[in-house]
Amino acid sequence: MAALPNQLAHEFHGHQDAIRAIRFTKSGEYCLTCSADKTVRLWNPHRGLGIKTYKGPGQEVLDATAAHDNGRIICGGRDKVVYLLDVSTGQPIRKYRGHYGAINCVKFNEESSVIITGSYDSTVRVWDCKSRTYDPIQVMEEAKDSITSLFVSNHEILTGSVDGKARRYDIRFGKLFSDTVGQPVTSVSLSRDGLCVLVSSLDNHIRLLDKENGELLNTFKGHSNTEYKIDSSLTHDDSHIVSGSEDGKIYFWDLVEGNVVQTLKQSQSSSCIVYSLSYHPNSACLLSAGSEGPVKVWKRQEDMKEDEDEDD
């Protein structure tokens, strides 16, 4: 069995309220956190060091992500504005307005030239960073309820909605594919090989679907998720599923067998909601954050020893 991160490597303290999202940068060298305290923070998770705090938004920040060159950050939240920030100065480069509800999720495309956002207003909006206009270049209005999650690949946009559907927009051919889960969807992501879609929903289930035909390949359960938007993901090698939970724990499942193989405690309190996770793109390293306590960095024991040797 592939080794999973099972040791606490670092903890970050700094946010004054619940952390809504945590995201590795493209390279996995840095990470971003955003919080109900209206800030976004940049960290080096491998050293446990805070680098910079960004204070642009006027209300709770629900999601943030970095451009692939780490030079810009986008974030959005309850004030319905998409902020494009300069990483070095912290100053807004642009502000995009158009959503009528809080912004739940933000993503860049592969080239970081386009921003994709999903909102409580049931729309997905696409913004061109290079355009002179501040209006969206595309608005996707197929969802019947709040957009909770986005995943963007080189030619596809995956969306999850409270209306119980996971949608896939194929940008190359202008086609829409839809899979009905039947329960509010809280997280969607694509496997590293691009063949499977992972869907979390508010019925304590995570489903693995065949991307092309929507066939249910496996179901993962054992965690608690009936009320809140909680992240799930595949590990860097597609061998396991990992998810937060509403009982203060992080759960790992074997992809093929579907059984729980490991749990980690985000908090000693069972009332802690583990909202957000981010798995390193190339190695066994996990970031986790929740409704209380610090951000946590999890690694394998042998990788922690390598980090110590590098420090020496």
Side-chain angles (χ1 to χ4, degrees):
M1 186 181 78
L4 296 170
N6 56 9
Q7 300 290 322
L8 182 61
H10 297 290
E11 293 184 345
F12 309 160
H13 297 265
H15 282 295
Q16 304 302 309
D17 209 332
I19 298 162
R20 296 305 186 196
I22 184 164
R23 307 285 180 239
F24 266 118
T25 57
K26 179 71 174 177
S27 66
E29 186 177 357
Y30 303 103
C31 72
L32 292 171
T33 55
C34 60
S35 168
D37 68 9
K38 307 176 187 177
T39 68
V40 177
R41 291 176 180 252
L42 176 66
W43 311 82
N44 180 329
H46 308 291
R47 297 290 180 264
L49 299 174
I51 299 172
K52 195 172 182 65
T53 301
Y54 304 89
K55 298 181 179 180
Q59 296 185 40
E60 180 176 17
V61 189
L62 299 177
D63 200 11
T65 193
H68 294 176
D69 62 0
N70 294 333
R72 294 163 295 153
I73 291 169
I74 49 171
C75 63
R78 297 206 182 276
D79 67 0
K80 309 172 191 175
V81 180
V82 183
Y83 295 85
L84 178 64
L85 306 174
D86 183 276
V87 167
S88 299
T89 67
Q91 295 302 307
I93 301 169
R94 280 193 168 193
K95 297 178 184 179
Y96 298 96
R97 294 177 172 88
H99 279 297
Y100 296 101
I103 297 166
N104 274 326
C105 35
V106 297
K107 291 283 186 278
F108 276 111
N109 69 336
E110 290 284 318
E111 295 79 31
S112 300
S113 59
V114 171
I115 296 168
I116 303 97
T117 57
S119 167
Y120 272 101
D121 66 13
S122 306
T123 69
V124 175
R125 294 174 187 255
V126 182
W127 319 80
D128 187 346
C129 298
K130 298 179 179 179
S131 172
R132 292 183 178 180
T133 178
Y134 285 63
D135 296 325
I137 57 174
Q138 188 172 357
V139 180
M140 302 167 184
E141 301 178 292
E142 287 76 17
K144 307 304 181 191
D145 209 327
S146 174
I147 302 294
T148 57
S149 180
L150 287 171
F151 188 94
V152 179
S153 69
N154 59 349
H155 64 273
E156 294 172 317
I157 299 173
L158 273 63
T159 71
S161 173
V162 175
D163 69 7
K165 292 189 176 183
R167 294 175 173 85
R168 177 168 60 92
Y169 297 86
D170 189 316
I171 305 303
R172 293 174 305 178
F173 302 112
K175 290 187 176 182
L176 169 62
F177 303 89
S178 180
D179 294 308
T180 300
V181 175
Q183 296 288 333
V185 174
T186 61
S187 179
V188 291
S189 57
L190 201 61
S191 59
R192 310 284 172 172
D193 63 14
L195 300 178
C196 303
V197 178
L198 189 68
V199 182
S200 292
S201 53
L202 292 183
D203 59 351
N204 301 317
H205 282 65
I206 302 172
R207 295 168 176 85
L208 187 70
L209 307 177
D210 184 289
K211 189 183 78 171
E212 292 304 318
N213 59 28
E215 178 187 353
L216 179 63
L217 302 176
N218 213 340
T219 302
F220 309 92
K221 52 189 178 180
H223 65 309
S224 175
N225 187 194
T226 59
E227 294 186 57
Y228 297 97
K229 170 174 151 47
I230 285 176
D231 288 339
S232 63
S233 173
L234 284 102
T235 55
H236 70 290
D237 56 1
D238 281 347
S239 64
H240 292 81
I241 308 296
V242 58
S243 175
S245 180
E246 293 166 8
D247 61 3
K249 295 179 184 178
I250 301 156
Y251 287 75
F252 289 84
W253 293 264
D254 183 274
L255 177 74
V256 177
E257 299 298 327
N259 58 309
V260 175
V261 294
Q262 177 177 286
T263 61
L264 301 171
K265 279 192 175 183
Q266 176 70 18
S267 170
Q268 295 300 319
S269 170
S270 60
S271 63
C272 174
I273 314 299
V274 187
Y275 292 118
S276 191
L277 302 171
S278 188
Y279 210 91
H280 193 280
N282 305 310
S283 65
C285 177
L286 174 71
L287 307 176
S288 62
S291 59
E292 58 187 64
V295 173
K296 293 191 174 183
V297 184
W298 306 89
K299 293 190 176 187
R300 302 182 303 173
Q301 186 69 47
E302 53 266 40
D303 294 335
M304 290 172 62
K305 290 179 180 177
E306 289 177 10
D307 289 346
E308 290 171 3
D309 292 341
E310 288 178 8
D311 290 339
D312 293 340

Coordinates of all heavy atoms in Angstrom, one line a residue, residues 172-202:
R172 N -13.5 22.8 -25.5 CA -13.0 22.6 -26.8 C -14.2 22.5 -27.8 O -14.2 23.0 -28.9 CB -12.1 21.4 -26.9 CG -10.8 21.4 -26.2 CD -10.1 20.1 -26.3 NE -11.0 19.0 -25.7 CZ -10.7 17.7 -25.7 NH1 -9.5 17.3 -26.2 NH2 -11.5 16.8 -25.2
F173 N -15.2 21.7 -27.4 CA -16.3 21.4 -28.2 C -17.6 22.1 -27.9 O -18.6 21.9 -28.5 CB -16.5 19.9 -28.3 CG -15.3 19.1 -28.7 CD1 -14.6 18.3 -27.8 CD2 -14.8 19.2 -30.0 CE1 -13.5 17.6 -28.3 CE2 -13.7 18.5 -30.4 CZ -13.0 17.7 -29.6
G174 N -17.5 22.9 -26.8 CA -18.7 23.6 -26.4 C -19.9 22.7 -25.9 O -21.0 23.0 -26.1
K175 N -19.5 21.6 -25.2 CA -20.5 20.6 -24.8 C -20.6 20.6 -23.3 O -19.7 20.9 -22.6 CB -20.1 19.2 -25.3 CG -20.3 19.0 -26.8 CD -20.1 17.6 -27.2 CE -20.3 17.4 -28.7 NZ -20.2 16.0 -29.1
L176 N -21.8 20.3 -22.8 CA -22.1 20.1 -21.4 C -22.5 18.7 -21.1 O -23.4 18.1 -21.7 CB -23.2 21.1 -21.0 CG -23.8 20.9 -19.6 CD1 -22.8 21.1 -18.5 CD2 -25.0 21.8 -19.4
F177 N -21.9 18.1 -20.1 CA -22.2 16.8 -19.6 C -22.6 16.9 -18.1 O -22.0 17.7 -17.4 CB -21.0 15.8 -19.7 CG -20.5 15.7 -21.1 CD1 -19.5 16.6 -21.5 CD2 -21.0 14.8 -22.0 CE1 -19.0 16.5 -22.8 CE2 -20.5 14.7 -23.2 CZ -19.5 15.5 -23.7
S178 N -23.7 16.2 -17.7 CA -24.2 16.3 -16.4 C -24.4 15.0 -15.7 O -25.0 14.1 -16.4 CB -25.5 17.1 -16.4 OG -26.1 17.3 -15.2
D179 N -24.0 14.8 -14.5 CA -24.3 13.6 -13.7 C -25.1 14.0 -12.5 O -24.8 14.9 -11.7 CB -23.0 13.0 -13.2 CG -22.2 12.5 -14.4 OD1 -22.7 11.7 -15.2 OD2 -21.0 12.8 -14.5
T180 N -26.2 13.3 -12.3 CA -27.1 13.5 -11.2 C -26.8 12.7 -10.0 O -26.8 11.4 -10.1 CB -28.6 13.3 -11.6 OG1 -28.9 14.1 -12.7 CG2 -29.5 13.5 -10.4
V181 N -26.4 13.3 -8.9 CA -26.1 12.6 -7.6 C -27.4 12.5 -6.8 O -27.5 11.5 -6.1 CB -25.0 13.4 -6.9 CG1 -24.7 12.7 -5.5 CG2 -23.7 13.4 -7.7
G182 N -28.2 13.5 -6.8 CA -29.5 13.4 -6.1 C -29.4 14.1 -4.7 O -30.4 14.2 -4.0
Q183 N -28.2 14.5 -4.3 CA -28.0 15.2 -3.0 C -27.1 16.4 -3.3 O -26.4 16.4 -4.3 CB -27.3 14.2 -2.0 CG -28.1 13.0 -1.6 CD -29.3 13.4 -0.8 OE1 -29.2 14.4 0.0 NE2 -30.3 12.5 -0.8
P184 N -27.2 17.4 -2.5 CA -26.4 18.6 -2.7 C -24.9 18.3 -2.8 O -24.4 17.6 -1.9 CB -26.7 19.5 -1.5 CG -28.1 19.1 -1.0 CD -28.2 17.6 -1.3
V185 N -24.3 18.7 -3.9 CA -22.9 18.4 -4.1 C -22.0 19.5 -3.4 O -22.3 20.7 -3.6 CB -22.6 18.4 -5.6 CG1 -21.1 18.2 -5.9 CG2 -23.3 17.2 -6.3
T186 N -21.0 19.1 -2.7 CA -20.1 20.0 -2.0 C -18.7 20.1 -2.5 O -18.0 21.0 -2.1 CB -20.1 19.7 -0.5 OG1 -19.6 18.3 -0.3 CG2 -21.5 19.7 0.1
S187 N -18.3 19.1 -3.2 CA -16.9 19.1 -3.8 C -16.8 18.3 -5.0 O -17.4 17.2 -5.1 CB -15.9 18.5 -2.7 OG -14.6 18.5 -3.2
V188 N -16.1 18.8 -6.0 CA -15.9 18.0 -7.3 C -14.4 18.1 -7.6 O -13.8 19.2 -7.4 CB -16.7 18.5 -8.5 CG1 -18.2 18.1 -8.3 CG2 -16.5 20.0 -8.7
S189 N -13.8 17.1 -8.1 CA -12.4 17.1 -8.5 C -12.2 16.0 -9.5 O -13.0 15.1 -9.7 CB -11.4 17.0 -7.3 OG -11.7 15.8 -6.6
L190 N -11.1 16.1 -10.2 CA -10.7 15.2 -11.3 C -9.5 14.4 -10.8 O -8.6 14.9 -10.1 CB -10.4 15.9 -12.5 CG -10.4 15.2 -13.9 CD1 -11.8 14.7 -14.2 CD2 -10.0 16.2 -15.0
S191 N -9.5 13.1 -11.1 CA -8.3 12.3 -10.8 C -7.1 12.8 -11.6 O -7.3 13.5 -12.6 CB -8.6 10.8 -11.1 OG -8.9 10.6 -12.5
R192 N -5.9 12.4 -11.2 CA -4.7 12.9 -11.8 C -4.6 12.4 -13.3 O -4.1 13.1 -14.1 CB -3.5 12.5 -11.0 CG -3.5 12.8 -9.5 CD -3.3 14.3 -9.2 NE -3.5 14.5 -7.8 CZ -3.3 15.7 -7.2 NH1 -2.8 16.7 -7.8 NH2 -3.6 15.8 -5.9
D193 N -5.1 11.2 -13.5 CA -5.1 10.7 -14.9 C -6.2 11.2 -15.8 O -6.3 10.9 -16.9 CB -5.1 9.1 -14.8 CG -6.4 8.6 -14.3 OD1 -7.4 9.3 -14.1 OD2 -6.4 7.3 -14.0
G194 N -7.1 12.0 -15.2 CA -8.2 12.7 -16.0 C -9.3 11.8 -16.4 O -10.2 12.2 -17.1
L195 N -9.4 10.6 -15.8 CA -10.4 9.6 -16.2 C -11.6 9.6 -15.3 O -12.7 9.1 -15.7 CB -9.8 8.2 -16.3 CG -8.6 8.1 -17.3 CD1 -8.1 6.6 -17.3 CD2 -9.1 8.4 -18.7
C196 N -11.5 10.0 -14.1 CA -12.5 9.9 -13.1 C -12.9 11.2 -12.4 O -12.0 12.1 -12.2 CB -12.1 8.9 -12.0 SG -11.7 7.3 -12.6
V197 N -14.1 11.3 -12.0 CA -14.6 12.5 -11.3 C -15.0 12.1 -9.9 O -15.7 11.1 -9.7 CB -15.8 13.1 -12.0 CG1 -16.4 14.3 -11.2 CG2 -15.5 13.6 -13.4
L198 N -14.5 12.8 -8.9 CA -14.8 12.6 -7.5 C -15.8 13.6 -7.0 O -15.6 14.8 -7.2 CB -13.5 12.6 -6.6 CG -13.6 12.2 -5.2 CD1 -13.8 10.7 -5.1 CD2 -12.3 12.6 -4.4
V199 N -16.9 13.1 -6.4 CA -18.0 14.0 -6.0 C -18.4 13.7 -4.6 O -18.7 12.6 -4.2 CB -19.2 13.7 -6.9 CG1 -20.4 14.7 -6.6 CG2 -18.9 13.9 -8.4
S200 N -18.3 14.8 -3.7 CA -18.8 14.7 -2.4 C -20.2 15.3 -2.3 O -20.5 16.3 -3.0 CB -17.9 15.4 -1.4 OG -16.7 14.8 -1.3
S201 N -21.1 14.7 -1.4 CA -22.4 15.3 -1.3 C -22.9 15.2 0.2 O -22.3 14.5 1.0 CB -23.4 14.5 -2.2 OG -23.3 13.1 -2.0
L202 N -24.0 15.9 0.4 CA -24.5 16.0 1.8 C -25.3 14.8 2.3 O -26.3 14.9 2.9 CB -25.3 17.3 2.0 CG -24.5 18.6 1.9 CD1 -25.4 19.8 2.1 CD2 -23.3 18.7 2.9

